[in-house]
Amino acid sequence: MKWEGNRESDNVEDRRGENDGGGNGGGGGFGFGGRSIGIGTIVVALLGSYVLGVNPLTLLNVLSGGGGQLSTQHTQQTPHPPADDRTTSFVQTVLGDTEDTWGALFKAEGSSYVKPTLVLYTGRTETACGRGQSASGPFYCPADQKVYLDLDFFQLMQDRFKVSSEFAEAYVIAHEVGHHVQNLLGLSEKVDQARRTQSERQANAMSVRLELQADCFAGVWAYHANLDRKILEKGDVEAALKAASAIGDDALQRQAQGHVVPDSFTHGTSEQRVRWFGRGIASGEIAQCNTFEARQL
């Protein structure tokens, strides 16, 4: 991915090192009072035993809305990197690129794009949606319009999913920014309201459509970023598709428990995630990302 030299965003808040150690205080889990939405929610089911020593099925239940408290002990501490390290510059550049892309798209529709803040943290951090933890993976909190990212997630992508690509990492950020776009468009609130009156199965199905749309929005960003700034290199798209496939609900559940439970899906299957990201990057059109009216996902 060609990103060096492009504009870096100023909307990055660095909290790394403030709460290293995550669960040393014995506190339990991530609060969903403000309805946080993250690409890593179901990833915990697979990574829980690997990172935290917790039963993956327990984590899947907690983070998919099954309730309960999660107590963890996280003994590894990540040192606070220098403010000008390469990864920080990469994150700032990708965020800046999403700002430029969505700013132009919103302007073309006669509206203004409100830029989100991206928070870098380690271990845990406070958000308007409750306490965020690294175990949740990257997530977006609509209540404070911030994307939260522990950079250790990128290392986990390499170690666990064998996905080593800057563009795949950019896809993760763009997916969370996609949730911000949904928030600005009022879609997140409508889904939350609908979920409150539905059964668990129906609510999960709505979450899947929300997540797949965020994948599609990530593709829309990539289309325009490459059109305007030529960011893509050989193999980039394939790497992003590999990442999308690796974190499909079916793939994660099959690895974690040996079988899949479709009614519990909250993010979509590997095939669906690949399809909707591909749809966005092929068309570059927001209108092509209407997962809520799609008869087949």
Side-chain angles (χ1 to χ4, degrees), residues 11-29:
N11 298 308
V12 175
E13 180 182 342
D14 197 342
R15 301 182 189 174
R16 287 175 293 177
E18 293 182 5
N19 288 294
D20 286 345
N24 283 340

Side-chain angles (χ1 to χ4, degrees), residues 22 77 208 273:
Q77 292 196 3
V208 166
R273 302 201 71 165

Side-chain angles (χ1 to χ4, degrees), residues 117-131:
T117 297
L118 191 150
V119 178
L120 295 175
Y121 74 101
T122 52
R124 62 185 180 185
T125 193
E126 297 300 323
T127 83
C129 297
R131 175 175 291 179

Side-chain angles (χ1 to χ4, degrees), residues 37-40 98 138 140 147 169-182 210-219 221 247 267 273 277:
I37 311 166
I39 196 175
T98 64
Y140 172 69
V147 171
E169 295 172 356
Y171 151 71
V172 170
I173 296 172
H175 172 97
E176 300 307 330
V177 172
H179 285 307
H180 176 63
V181 172
Q182 291 172 323
L210 197 71
E211 293 294 335
L212 293 178
Q213 186 179 62
D215 281 332
C216 188
F217 283 169
W221 159 74
I247 54 179
H267 285 64
R273 302 201 71 165
F277 175 76

Side-chain angles (χ1 to χ4, degrees), residues 137-175:
F139 62 93
Y140 172 69
C141 175
D144 56 20
Q145 297 191 354
K146 293 182 178 181
V147 171
Y148 291 85
L149 172 64
D150 186 330
L151 293 175
D152 285 348
F153 183 78
F154 292 157
Q155 188 63 48
L156 288 175
M157 287 176 61
Q158 297 180 34
D159 295 342
R160 196 67 172 178
F161 302 127
K162 310 305 179 186
V163 175
S164 180
S165 162
E166 288 180 328
F167 184 65
E169 295 172 356
Y171 151 71
V172 170
I173 296 172
H175 172 97

Side-chain angles (χ1 to χ4, degrees), residues 4 12 21 23 33 58 72 77 81 93 137 154 166 171 176 197-198 232 234 240 242 258 278:
E4 294 173 293
V12 175
T58 300
T72 66
Q77 292 196 3
T93 302
F154 292 157
E166 288 180 328
Y171 151 71
E176 300 307 330
T197 61
Q198 295 175 335
L232 292 179
K234 184 178 180 180
K242 181 179 179 181

